[in-house]
Amino acid sequence: MDSFLSALKISLWVATSSTLLVALFGLALAFVLARCNFRGKNIIDAVVTIPMVLPPTVVGYYLMVLLGREGIVGAPLYQLTGWSFLFTWQGAVIAAFIVSLPLMVRVARSAIESVDEDLIRVSYSLGKSKWETFVHVILPLARSGIMAGVVLAFARGLGEFGATLMIAGNIPGRTSTLSLSIYSAFQAGDDTRAGQLAWVLTGISVFVVYLAGKLSRSRWM
Amino acid sequence: MDEGYIRVGERVFFDSFATIDLPPQRREIGYLPQNYALFPHMTVRQNILYGHQAPGPAAEEFHEMITLFQLEGLENRYPKELSGGQKQRVALARALMRKPRILLLDEPLAAVDISVRKMIRTELKLLQRKLGIPMILITHDLSEALALADKLIIYEQGRVVQEGEPMEIIKHPLNERVSELLGQITIHTEPVFSF
């Protein structure tokens, strides 16, 4: 029971932290991709989206190349602080962040793009800056889509397995999330436990996806 | 690359030679798009006051606008609860709250029922005379243009075909295309008597 509670706690903590990051960066990215035109936009779009289609192990591998003790960012970080993302909950957060970011960006971007261009033009003609227009017109009208993106990102973060296993490992009480505990229980031959954990995770996910559907219905049209 | 210049009075919005391109926020144009583009998540009051800087001293002007456009009692309604004509009046009030130098109307009557089109047409003309703000009105309906315009510019495929006062154009169409356009509508240049 204790290990179940700790796995649940780690799962919720990791998914919540990564969702906060995803909401922040994802919204900014979605806005830039939806409303700005610049060179290399398609490349950014592709880079953000690719973790959605790559096998999680491949994402995990790239994260190691980037954040591992000999990684591009990881090596100087380790030399400077003696700390690395490997086998930490922060590593799990990064893994969840990378795999759920594309969901948020896709959903939020299409919500932002669906805001009538004329409303934005009128807002400009009424003296409002791009930022004011974003806050007072785009954000409230795209809100349900943005919320749906956040909720989906949470669900994806909660279910993350492959990349998390590679970068954060599966350390009970520290990085062993619900999805990782299911794997451990199954490996140890404890099918009953694996089944129970699977049901809990399914329950949470169904609720979250239901919430996303409820949120994505617009009120104004 | 766009070439040429756009100015209202002494104010230059755009000049390709002097490389002036005023951002839309500073052009002081009242813009009325075809579908009126009311903010659907705001009430009539919030829509009209949207462009206003300080909400406090606006109360009196807001009241004037509501009265001028006969919107009393609709202040707390959302756009989806308004008729086409009401939407248009809210959009006009919203644009005029900014005291624009010029009003740009993109097919303002296209979305209105034919039965009330003539009435709104007259109202628009009266409003223009009352406020004295120059209006640029875009329309595909020549009879509407003839009824409303002090100066008429006929475009075809992005080029100016003829410009002048409506009467002048009716009497001296410059080419076949213009007479063809005029031929599609009935114009009474002489008084019509009926018994």
Side-chain angles (χ1 to χ4, degrees), chain A:
Chain A
M1 197 59 204
D2 264 4
S3 66
F4 164 73
L5 276 181
S6 95
L8 180 68
K9 222 170 80 182
I10 293 166
S11 269
L12 292 176
W13 173 248
V14 166
T16 308
S17 312
S18 92
T19 304
L20 281 177
L21 290 176
V22 165
L24 216 68
F25 284 91
L27 186 58
L29 257 170
F31 178 74
V32 168
L33 289 173
R35 304 273 333 150
C36 303
N37 280 313
F38 54 91
R39 280 181 57 172
K41 179 168 147 174
N42 289 335
I43 296 170
I44 292 184
D45 187 29
V47 169
V48 172
T49 310
I50 213 87
M52 207 158 100
V53 291
L54 280 180
T57 43
V58 176
V59 176
Y61 172 77
Y62 286 135
L63 281 176
M64 290 294 283
V65 169
L66 200 68
L67 300 174
R69 273 182 206 158
E70 267 124 58
I72 300 160
V73 179
L77 184 74
Y78 186 62
Q79 273 160 20
L80 240 91
T81 60
W83 184 85
S84 95
F85 279 99
L86 292 188
F87 308 114
T88 63
W89 66 265
Q90 288 94 335
V93 170
I94 296 289
F97 171 77
I98 293 294
V99 296
S100 53
L101 187 66
L103 278 175
M104 170 68 185
V105 172
R106 301 244 122 197
V107 177
R109 179 184 177 174
S110 78
I112 290 170
E113 277 171 346
S114 70
V115 174
D116 186 354
E117 195 72 25
D118 268 336
L119 295 177
I120 293 158
R121 279 194 212 113
V122 165
S123 176
Y124 289 169
S125 82
L126 292 168
K128 298 292 181 189
S129 68
K130 279 191 169 185
W131 172 249
E132 288 168 317
T133 303
F134 176 68
V135 173
H136 298 299
V137 178
I138 298 174
L139 211 52
L141 290 174
R143 199 187 63 175
S144 41
I146 291 167
M147 288 307 291
V150 171
V151 171
L152 283 174
F154 181 79
R156 181 66 186 87
L158 202 61
E160 169 45 31
F161 178 81
T164 313
L165 185 62
M166 286 185 71
I167 193 158
N170 186 3
I171 306 166
R174 277 178 57 201
T175 63
S176 186
T177 60
L178 272 178
S179 28
L180 290 168
S181 305
I182 294 171
Y183 182 68
S184 313
F186 187 71
Q187 287 286 78
D190 192 348
D191 287 5
T192 328
R193 188 173 161 71
Q196 286 164 347
L197 290 169
W199 276 112
V200 172
L201 202 54
T202 308
I204 299 175
S205 300
V206 166
F207 173 70
V208 165
V209 171
Y210 165 78
L211 203 67
K214 221 174 143 77
L215 284 171
S216 61
R217 242 161 278 145
S218 180
R219 282 191 293 151
W220 310 113
M221 296 305 149

Side-chain angles (χ1 to χ4, degrees), chain B residues 18-188:
Chain B
T19 56
I20 294 171
D21 188 1
L22 211 61
Q25 285 85 352
R26 290 174 50 207
R27 288 180 201 159
E28 296 174 72
I29 295 181
Y31 173 48
L32 219 78
Q34 204 176 117
N35 58 5
Y36 315 131
L38 295 180
F39 302 117
H41 58 302
M42 297 183 196
T43 61
V44 167
R45 181 195 308 276
Q46 289 167 328
N47 264 286
I48 293 175
L49 289 175
Y50 180 77
H52 210 274
Q53 307 295 341
E60 203 172 310
E61 289 162 57
F62 174 72
H63 187 73
E64 275 171 31
M65 282 297 163
I66 288 281
T67 319
L68 176 66
F69 289 103
Q70 299 150 29
L71 293 165
E72 295 102 333
L74 302 176
E75 291 93 334
N76 295 321
R77 288 218 191 155
Y78 283 95
K80 64 176 178 189
E81 301 163 328
L82 300 175
S83 74
Q86 287 167 339
K87 278 184 197 165
Q88 185 178 51
R89 300 207 295 272
V90 174
L92 272 168
R94 179 178 64 180
L96 290 171
M97 274 300 274
R98 290 281 299 183
K99 302 199 168 50
R101 287 161 188 269
I102 191 164
L103 263 181
L104 176 61
L105 301 100
D106 185 5
E107 301 217 44
L109 300 176
V112 189
D113 208 57
I114 297 174
S115 58
V116 287
R117 240 179 239 184
K118 274 212 167 128
M119 195 184 79
I120 295 181
R121 199 195 267 181
T122 319
E123 277 177 10
L124 265 180
K125 182 109 187 172
L126 284 172
L127 183 75
Q128 200 280 324
R129 292 288 182 262
K130 198 158 151 188
L131 299 168
I133 298 175
M135 288 182 183
I136 297 176
L137 188 143
I138 299 152
T139 178
H140 281 94
D141 182 345
L142 192 61
S143 61
E144 189 181 307
L146 291 167
L148 281 169
D150 296 312
K151 185 181 174 186
L152 189 61
I153 303 175
I154 300 175
Y155 281 88
E156 193 177 50
Q157 294 179 336
R159 291 186 179 281
V160 177
V161 182
Q162 188 173 2
E163 58 176 289
E165 285 170 25
M167 262 314 173
E168 201 182 308
I169 291 179
I170 292 167
K171 283 181 184 154
H172 311 287
L174 209 65
N175 61 24
E176 224 171 88
R177 185 70 195 113
V178 179
S179 358
E180 231 171 76
L181 271 171
L182 290 168
Q184 289 164 9
I185 52 169
T186 328
I187 303 147
H188 305 288

